[in-house]
Amino acid sequence: MEEEKTNTIKENPIELAQQAWTHLELVRKKSPLIQCITNFVSMDLMANTLLSAGASPAMIHSVDEIPEFTPKALGVCINAGTLTPDWLPGMKLAAQVANQSKKPWVLDPVAAGGSSFRLKACLELLALRPSVVRGNGSEILALFKGSVDSNSKGVDSVYGSSDAVEAAKSLAQQSGSIVAVSGAVDFITDGDKVVCVHNGVPMLQKITASGCSVTALISAFVAVDPSHPVEATASALAIFGVSSEIGMDMARGPASLRTHLIDSLYGLDEATALARVRISRF
Ligand SMILES: Nc1ncnc2c1ncn2[C@@H]1O[C@H](COP(=O)(O)OP(=O)(O)O)[C@@H](O)[C@H]1O
Ligand SMILES: Cc1ncsc1CCOP(=O)(O)O
Ligand SMILES: [Mg+2]
């Protein structure tokens, strides 16, 4: 998949589902090392999501080891969830080292519109050109507008993902990054074309760090196919969504969904993936 470099995004839903399975197979085969600089809430679920997909997570954030460690990673995930000023230099350094090492990195601008400090930090990180930025509707709208949201509910979105599609397109054009806005339908755009992912269950909103974890999964998928970030991002969102759908059939609530989601991602097979992945062009 790395050899094939085209700018055309597949149109056929069957091919897009096949591509999502191929991306998961590639993650399982390559087991990419993914460095995560993430919030305290998400560390456990994020690491377990990456492990169950076949990747190798490392939650390493000290500025003292980033110059030596980050080049070893195949991809980096940077998440603003429990941001404090002392963490920001490490995030910026990891982004710069990833760029120098030609490794993709992915930004999760958690609660970007929640405060001026957070918004400024997320915009500074975005200026360092992540391959992909993945947020919910509120977060993508805040980055696009460049202003805090007086209606912000912190890490939760007060907008649907479809409310942020045009903002996502403009933000992708302005920033040069692929923008993914998650929700009932996930939208992924390079500023021109938009791809939609229709997988997932509403109860994911009741599991804290499900968004953070899918961003880490995007980091792993983009790490194994860095020349196709739109496709790899859609594949990660679809595979995570399918795993939640299968998990939901066994779950009794958010706590057991969390467990069954991880088990379903670990055990996902080709026939189930091809039957359930729903990716289309907007
Ligand atoms: N209403 C929904 N129906 C199906 N899947 C959803 C729904 N809302 C969110 N998801 C899924 O949950 C995951 C986290 O997305 P989201 O809740 O938007 O992120 P965050 O937790 O950062 O706010 C994504 O995989 C997304 O597709
Ligand atoms: C609750 C909370 N508070 C700060 S970070 C965090 C986790 C947010 O996770 P997600 O964005 O995946 O819901
Ligand atoms: Mg989030």
Side-chain angles (χ1 to χ4, degrees):
M1 190 162 296
E2 277 167 316
E3 301 80 48
E4 178 201 340
K5 285 193 180 165
T6 65
N7 291 323
T8 51
I9 297 169
K10 291 186 199 321
E11 305 260 352
N12 180 337
I14 296 170
E15 285 179 358
L16 290 163
Q18 181 66 56
Q19 182 170 251
W21 170 253
T22 304
H23 277 130
L24 178 60
E25 274 194 309
L26 216 51
V27 171
R28 287 175 175 175
K29 192 171 137 219
K30 285 196 174 183
S31 189
L33 172 60
I34 305 299
Q35 181 188 359
C36 305
I37 305 184
T38 192
N39 67 75
F40 299 113
V41 185
S42 72
M43 286 180 184
D44 179 290
L45 186 61
M46 182 181 286
N48 279 303
T49 300
L50 287 168
L51 282 171
S52 62
S56 181
M59 279 43 193
I60 283 178
H61 64 260
S62 169
V63 278
D64 293 334
E65 54 187 343
I66 284 166
E68 191 184 347
F69 183 79
T70 302
K72 301 186 209 296
L74 216 57
V76 178
C77 177
I78 297 180
N79 178 302
T82 49
L83 191 63
T84 49
D86 50 325
W87 275 57
L88 197 51
M91 292 178 175
K92 288 181 176 173
L93 184 59
Q96 284 158 347
V97 174
N99 288 343
Q100 282 155 12
S101 311
K102 307 221 175 309
K103 306 286 177 55
W105 67 280
V106 178
L107 175 65
D108 191 326
V110 180
S115 73
S116 311
F117 161 69
R118 203 169 265 279
L119 180 68
K120 182 169 175 283
C122 289
L123 288 172
E124 285 169 5
L125 288 165
L126 186 61
L128 296 174
R129 289 285 294 264
S131 298
V132 182
V133 53
R134 193 293 310 167
N136 61 37
S138 283
E139 290 157 351
I140 297 305
L141 281 162
L143 292 180
F144 165 66
K145 292 177 185 166
S147 58
V148 295
D149 184 354
S150 53
N151 296 318
S152 168
K153 277 183 75 184
V155 305
D156 291 329
S157 188
V158 294
Y159 298 101
S161 51
S162 55
D163 298 328
V165 178
E166 289 310 314
K169 281 178 82 172
S170 301
L171 189 65
Q173 285 161 13
Q174 288 162 20
S175 65
S177 298
I178 301 305
V179 178
V181 50
S182 57
V185 177
D186 307 311
F187 300 94
I188 304 99
T189 180
D190 58 4
D192 174 26
K193 304 194 171 61
V194 181
V195 176
C196 312
V197 175
H198 305 268
N199 296 107
V201 295
M203 202 178 279
L204 283 171
Q205 294 165 97
K206 298 294 179 195
I207 304 176
T208 192
S210 59
C212 304
S213 300
V214 81
T215 303
L217 195 64
I218 291 168
S219 310
F221 277 48
V222 176
V224 297
D225 190 12
S227 46
H228 300 98
V230 171
E231 293 87 335
T233 300
S235 294
L237 284 156
I239 293 293
F240 188 81
V242 165
S243 303
S244 75
E245 291 167 13
I246 300 165
M248 197 65 216
D249 293 340
M250 296 173 270
R252 293 195 303 142
S256 47
L257 175 59
R258 192 179 188 278
T259 299
H260 290 303
L261 164 64
I262 296 293
D263 285 352
S264 302
L265 177 55
Y266 178 78
L268 190 62
D269 62 51
E270 181 173 8
T272 309
L274 296 186
R276 297 189 81 139
V277 164
R278 290 178 59 215
I279 307 176
S280 63
R281 283 286 297 277
F282 192 44

